[in-house]
Amino acid sequence: MQFSIRLNSKDISIRSRLILVLSYAMAAVIAFVVYTAGGISKVYTNLMYIPITIVSSTNGKKHGIIHAIAGGLLLGPFMPMDAEQNIMQPPVNWIIRIVIYVMIAYVIGFFADHYRQELINVRKRDNEIFEAHMATIYSLVKLAESRDYNTGEHVLRVAELCRLLAGKLRSREKYSGYINDSYIEYIFKAAPLHDIGKVGIPDSILLKPGKLTPEEFEIMKTHTIIGEETLLEVKQRYSGYKFLEMAVNIARHHHEKWDGTGYPDGLSGDEIPLSARIMAVADTYDALRSKRVYKDALSHAESLEVIRQGAGTHYDPEIVDIFIEYENEINDIYNKAGTSDPETVTLELQE
């Protein structure tokens, strides 16, 4: 699984082009103002520094120099010195002006390019550090899952399922202003951390092949609190990683139920964070389809029916609707990600 900081270069490129177009339009307007004001003998020629500075600082020295030449020509051979007296400016006048414009554009563009490259380098280093941190965290997740008869495929599948469900929910009016690209990316990164708290559960309970006693089940339920506390420590140290806030919510609340009978806080309905409600459905589906020594794996259709029956009690009914609507894509994700053992469904069977 790749965890990375995505730089939206497409949006940056569109903004840069828009600034370029507007700056050329501004230069044309300035040339018109200079002409109608009476010629270059007026102070309005100094306004041409504005679009040149804007282009050089946002698009670099290459575009800045081109813009400087264009701006200089707009105030060049065809622009009169004094329009009322029909006096044209000597060639040396506008040539020197172009040279000055180019020099200014070069200096501003040089520093803009320099600091832009520095920013790229910093972002690259941040991304490398982020990858290293996430590799460490993900190793802990793999360790926790391996103790639970899990090869790690479960966390990959639930991440994909959560991303799919969040993307489909985005089309619903209720969530259109809440779920955005960042939200979808965050839930994909946060989902694998949902059961990290299982590192704190004793093997005698976590690996027990039979039904847990009430006392053991209470201990098992604490994995949500352990997970939250673990991720809060990580979040405190790496506050720049916004997805960790979502990971904290998922770790604590992915066993809450829509009707308020879940744990650890007994939240109900919209009180449960949306990310945790999405995880609850994705997590259950993947668990139901997994074979264990104490149970056979259910088919896609059987797992779907279990989730359908839990709509409005265990699960958010709107998320279940989306899940059922896109069941073929759900099934494809499970099959493509592999069918190795996901997390234990002991909790799901006993709740």
Side-chain angles (χ1 to χ4, degrees), residues 3 126-139 241:
F3 296 102
D126 286 346
N127 190 60
E128 291 172 351
I129 294 172
F130 176 81
E131 290 283 359
H133 291 164
M134 287 311 305
T136 302
I137 295 173
Y138 189 58
S139 296
Y241 301 155

Side-chain angles (χ1 to χ4, degrees), residues 40-105:
I40 64 166
S41 59
K42 307 297 182 180
V43 72
Y44 299 110
T45 54
N46 293 326
L47 292 174
M48 192 62 74
Y49 290 117
I50 297 175
I52 292 173
T53 301
I54 292 174
V55 171
S56 301
S57 59
T58 57
N59 287 266
K61 62 178 181 290
K62 178 182 177 181
H63 285 288
I65 290 173
I66 295 174
H67 195 282
I69 295 173
L73 290 175
L74 285 172
L75 303 181
F78 303 106
M79 184 66 68
M81 176 79 73
D82 191 319
E84 293 181 359
Q85 299 183 27
N86 199 26
I87 299 175
M88 299 303 293
Q89 58 180 318
V92 67
N93 197 52
W94 58 265
I95 291 174
I96 291 176
R97 185 182 302 109
I98 290 177
V99 171
I100 293 173
Y101 284 171
V102 168
M103 291 174 61
I104 291 173

